[in-house]
Amino acid sequence: MTPDILFSSLQLSVPELMLAGGAMLLLMVGVFSGEKSVTLVNGLAVALLIAAGLVLVLLTGNGEAYNGAFLSDPFARFMKVLVLIGSITAMVMTVGHAKAERIDKFEFPVLIVLATLGMLLMISANDLIALYMGMELQSLALYVVAAINRESSRSTEAGLKYFVLGTLSSGLLLYGASLVYGYTGFTGFDEIATAIASNDRSLGLVFGLVFVLAGIAFKISAVPFHMWTPDVYEGAPTPVTAFFSAAPKIAAMAVFIRIVIEAFEPISLDWQQIVVFMSIASMVLGAFAAIGQKSIKRLMAYSSIGHMGFALVGLAAGSQAGVRGVILYMLIYMVMTLGTFAVILAMRRKEEGNVEQITDLAGLAKTNPFMALMMTIMMFSLAGIPPLAGFFGKYFVFVAAIEAKLYALAIIGVLASVVGAYYYLRIVKIMWFDEPSDSFVPVAGELKLVFGIAGLFVLFFVVISNPLGLAADVAAKTFF
């Protein structure tokens, strides 16, 4: 690599370099200042993520770096901005709850920054090895974050389960990558696509494709690799669950899109069958398994499984409209889920601390009308009721599926959406029509801000959908 190429590579990866250097600096601040530096490290971590986002939007151009292993293009920038917004919002939501949730440790913001760095590297990866390195950096940080409350057996159990099942998914991904390399001779996405297009498709390569997609499907909680999600969502501290539900899902879906549309484009008929199966299974399981849940965190876990199934409907289309639909769906899902988790974090009583049962929301409309109104908007949107944002998310992916003649997939999606509406509307009924139980303590300002902004976004998405759609269009055109 010549100095010129190295310099241009460093320029394209400035946001990632900032996060890597910043994380080390924050670690030093925490180590030498002790536990009293928690607030300072938290604030610096948020400032670092905001600065990385500004550099990404204002100064980073298009191009390949590090011999083609790292890509900077409109799709990568769009998805990275979503990841940074998800991470920043999750950290802001943590501020007032760190002590109560026993995650007031300086390691927490450092691990969030490292996980975010891994996600940015995943999104820009144009090589199987670069993808694996980014994914492992993210995963190792998330395993520790899930178990960050060492005094809670639930948190420790969640971290252990996530670690054991996560290593299994890493093994599947690595095995698949080794098969792909063995049958094509390359690890770069462009070279893999060229090798597949110029040779007959072999059975070993299809096995490699299946294992690679299985490894990535674990990260988005798609069925049948979803089993970790309810236990980890329930066991991890609520601010950690809020983080899990947003940024890592965006990064994993971005990787899913890039690898199937770029590296395996010549065998699209093969991966489309896999994506269609995962999509149907996720939508159906997410719709039915959430019905009997009593914990709202477990319900949100099954809800996330179902929503990843809806997003995969757009990807199964394999078209520009489909990719655009997935991008917009992930954006809308992130806002809805962060808004919902802001309400869940606000479910706190003086004597009991945080409560997590759905019945704890009984009569919320009488004790806290604003919080009940925002939660109602989120539930209606998650159910896909027009004219809220969630409806448009589903509309975009279903239209893409119909245009690709995937009629059965679109019909199953609509039916699963109807079934799923039951448990969202049940929460609305409990909040507005049941007798009030004990009221919650006053809601922290940062949580009001998050669910207030999320509520406005969901309510007025139709007004801002045009510029967001144009930006998603530019991102999707990267592949076509």
Side-chain angles (χ1 to χ4, degrees), residues 169-453:
S169 80
S170 294
L172 293 174
L173 178 67
L174 272 182
Y175 184 57
S178 67
L179 283 173
V180 171
Y181 175 70
Y183 282 92
T184 62
F186 298 100
T187 57
F189 292 172
D190 299 335
E191 292 87 353
I192 289 171
T194 306
I196 295 174
S198 56
N199 294 298
D200 290 335
R201 183 198 61 139
S202 63
L203 189 60
L205 179 69
V206 175
F207 269 99
L209 166 70
V210 171
F211 279 110
V212 168
L213 295 190
I216 300 172
F218 177 89
K219 302 297 179 190
I220 59 167
S221 314
V223 177
F225 306 101
H226 64 284
M227 64 291 285
W228 63 274
T229 316
D231 292 341
V232 174
Y233 267 47
E234 188 180 27
T238 307
V240 174
T241 312
F243 176 65
F244 276 20
S245 67
K249 295 276 171 66
I250 301 277
M253 188 58 83
V255 167
F256 211 132
I257 293 171
R258 191 182 288 283
I259 204 162
V260 296
I261 301 286
E262 274 195 3
F264 296 108
E265 193 277 332
I267 50 172
S268 55
L269 286 177
D270 291 300
W271 62 254
Q272 273 179 325
Q273 293 175 47
I274 300 168
V275 173
V276 167
F277 167 75
M278 285 181 183
S279 175
I280 293 174
S282 301
M283 288 188 295
V284 172
L285 185 130
F288 285 98
I291 290 175
Q293 300 304 319
K294 294 178 180 171
S295 161
I296 194 158
K297 284 168 74 177
R298 282 188 80 84
L299 183 141
M300 288 304 293
Y302 284 109
S303 166
S304 84
I305 294 168
H307 280 282
M308 290 306 106
F310 290 120
L312 288 175
V313 170
L315 184 58
S319 61
Q320 185 178 323
V323 173
R324 176 181 178 273
V326 179
I327 293 170
L328 286 172
Y329 197 96
M330 295 308 294
L331 163 65
I332 293 167
Y333 173 73
M334 184 184 78
V335 176
M336 293 187 300
T337 195
L338 283 174
T340 305
F341 270 102
V343 174
I344 295 172
L345 266 171
M347 291 169 59
R348 185 169 184 78
R349 295 201 177 106
K350 199 170 181 182
E351 295 80 17
E352 300 170 73
N354 272 93
V355 289
E356 298 171 359
Q357 298 300 304
I358 294 171
T359 49
D360 290 318
L361 286 164
L364 185 66
K366 295 186 179 71
T367 55
N368 193 331
F370 179 66
M371 187 169 150
L373 178 64
M374 290 299 113
M375 187 65 162
T376 302
I377 291 172
M378 294 303 150
M379 292 299 107
F380 279 148
S381 184
L382 283 166
I385 293 172
L388 302 175
F391 165 77
F392 289 101
K394 287 177 181 170
Y395 173 78
F396 294 139
V397 294
F398 289 157
V399 167
I402 290 167
E403 286 174 355
K405 302 191 187 323
L406 298 171
Y407 302 118
L409 182 60
I411 291 169
I412 292 170
V414 172
L415 294 176
S417 190
V418 172
V419 174
Y422 166 76
Y423 54 81
Y424 295 122
L425 297 181
R426 180 171 154 254
I427 294 174
V428 175
K429 174 253 172 193
I430 288 171
M431 287 191 298
W432 291 88
F433 298 108
D434 283 11
E435 284 303 311
S437 48
D438 292 342
S439 59
F440 299 129
V441 297
V443 181
E446 66 272 11
L447 295 181
K448 270 187 188 170
L449 182 70
V450 171
F451 61 63
I453 291 174

Side-chain angles (χ1 to χ4, degrees), residues 126-167:
N126 193 37
D127 182 280
L128 288 170
I129 297 171
L131 164 64
Y132 179 73
M133 298 297 285
M135 192 174 281
E136 282 307 287
L137 177 58
Q138 176 217 231
S139 300
L140 289 171
L142 294 184
Y143 300 149
V144 183
V145 166
I148 192 99
N149 184 0
R150 293 189 294 267
E151 295 169 31
S152 164
S153 57
R154 286 173 64 198
S155 176
T156 309
E157 184 185 342
L160 188 60
K161 277 183 181 170
Y162 193 31
F163 172 69
V164 172
L165 294 171
T167 49

